[in-house]
Amino acid sequence: MCHMEENFSEALSNASKVWAPPKTPSEVRSILEDEAASVNKESDNYWVLAAALKRFIDNEGQGQLPIEGSLPDMTATTALYLDLQRIYREQAERDVAAVAKHVQDILASISRDSGAISSSEIRMFCKHVRCLRVVRYRSLEEEFTGSSCRSDSLRHALSAEDSATNASLYILLRAVDQFFSKHRRWPGLYEQEIDGDVPALKHIATSIVQDCSSGPALIPDDLVGEMCRFGAGELHCVAAVMGGMASQEAIKLITNQFVPINGTIIYNAMNSTMSVFRF
């Protein structure tokens, strides 16, 4: 197949990308409309950059985000590809310069040092602007307190077929913590006490659901029994999976790269399933 025929094939396979006009992703729009984007002297650099981005979109960008400046692989002669790459790179540089000017203006307006945000930080922000996210976490106190827990979400998770089991495990893990606080031992730790621990743990789980105003408890008895039979044991294979996930999330937070999980992860090794809940 000659280069011209390959170009036509590539054009046909990518035609859908030009049918819809380019638009700002909803996640990015929510950042631009966030109250934190109205910056002051105490604002984080991220929000100063977001405010500068909004000014760019309203002015030089004419409603569009800055260009990344990179091109996907395509069939072309070396000279034509390099020329096209140069055009995109030059436009990306102009976009970065425009955003940088807005950053300087905003820093001056809030009485901050003009060098507070480096050019490399601005360039990185513009390069990944389509992947911007803001993750706001709820505290454990909010999640565990009946007046602030998201009862509708909990009720739905306990009743939905695809999440009921894992949501029940979430409730039981909280119940286990309360059981330990009361008895100073884990339920099922001693085999001779399992029969008595099962109803005690069931009662605590029921109370947790009721405290969250989520209606009657829907915790299956077999899961309560399994939690007690488990006796706070630690399987090395499960620990390896959980440790891997925890370390991965830690790296995301330390490096400020990629989107961390927003919620409580329940890994169900019995069914090989995982759920993320925001209660």
Side-chain angles (χ1 to χ4, degrees):
M1 181 182 291
C2 68
H3 287 327
M4 184 174 294
E5 291 175 337
E6 290 180 354
N7 286 152
F8 277 112
S9 297
E10 289 180 347
L12 286 172
S13 61
N14 291 280
S16 59
K17 296 180 180 179
V18 298
W19 289 343
K23 61 181 180 180
T24 303
S26 59
E27 296 88 352
V28 178
R29 287 201 307 273
S30 66
I31 293 173
L32 301 178
E33 296 167 0
D34 197 290
E35 292 182 0
S38 299
V39 296
N40 54 53
K41 190 174 183 178
E42 305 302 322
S43 295
D44 187 83
N45 287 355
Y46 180 90
W47 291 109
V48 175
L49 289 166
L53 174 64
K54 188 175 188 303
R55 291 190 181 185
F56 172 87
I57 293 174
D58 293 339
N59 294 279
E60 297 90 349
Q62 299 180 8
Q64 301 300 324
L65 296 171
I67 289 178
E68 296 178 21
S70 59
L71 284 179
D73 291 333
M74 65 181 73
T75 302
T77 64
T78 301
L80 287 175
Y81 185 84
L82 292 177
D83 285 343
L84 187 60
Q85 190 177 54
R86 174 181 53 79
I87 292 171
Y88 271 79
R89 186 180 295 117
E90 289 176 352
Q91 182 60 52
E93 290 295 329
R94 287 193 289 269
D95 289 350
V96 170
V99 173
K101 178 63 168 58
H102 289 304
V103 168
Q104 297 298 316
D105 292 343
I106 292 172
L107 289 173
S109 69
I110 59 177
S111 302
R112 284 184 57 183
D113 180 21
S114 60
I117 302 179
S118 65
S119 58
S120 61
E121 189 173 354
I122 297 172
R123 190 177 301 278
M124 179 70 71
F125 184 87
C126 292
K127 181 178 180 181
H128 301 288
V129 71
R130 288 163 179 79
C131 302
L132 297 180
R133 300 291 185 274
V134 170
V135 180
R136 290 187 171 97
Y137 295 95
R138 286 163 55 81
S139 67
L140 288 176
E141 181 181 8
E142 291 174 315
E143 185 174 327
F144 289 1
T145 303
S147 60
S148 59
C149 74
R150 292 170 172 162
S151 56
D152 290 341
S153 298
L154 179 56
R155 189 182 305 110
H156 178 268
L158 287 170
S159 60
E161 182 179 355
D162 60 341
S163 61
T165 299
N166 290 353
S168 297
L169 290 174
Y170 164 84
I171 294 296
L172 284 171
L173 288 172
R174 287 181 51 181
V176 165
D177 285 340
Q178 291 190 21
F179 184 100
F180 182 86
S181 297
K182 182 178 180 179
H183 300 283
R184 308 312 302 171
R185 64 175 179 82
W186 302 112
L189 183 62
Y190 303 111
E191 185 175 356
Q192 65 272 19
E193 296 182 345
I194 291 180
D195 291 340
D197 289 347
V198 169
L201 186 63
K202 176 78 172 182
H203 175 73
I204 296 174
T206 301
S207 299
I208 291 174
V209 176
Q210 292 175 345
D211 288 344
C212 291
S213 302
S214 296
L218 301 173
I219 310 301
D221 290 338
D222 59 334
L223 288 180
V224 181
E226 188 66 17
M227 187 67 74
C228 291
R229 190 187 68 82
F230 177 66
E234 295 183 3
L235 301 178
H236 63 280
C237 53
V238 177
V241 172
M242 298 304 297
M245 287 192 287
S247 60
Q248 179 175 302
E249 294 305 303
I251 291 172
K252 292 178 184 178
L253 295 173
I254 293 171
T255 62
N256 289 323
Q257 295 187 33
F258 306 103
V259 181
I261 294 174
N262 186 4
T264 300
I265 299 176
I266 297 296
Y267 172 60
N268 184 345
M270 296 179 291
N271 297 337
S272 297
T273 59
M274 185 176 71
S275 301
V276 178
F277 298 119
R278 296 185 64 188
F279 300 141

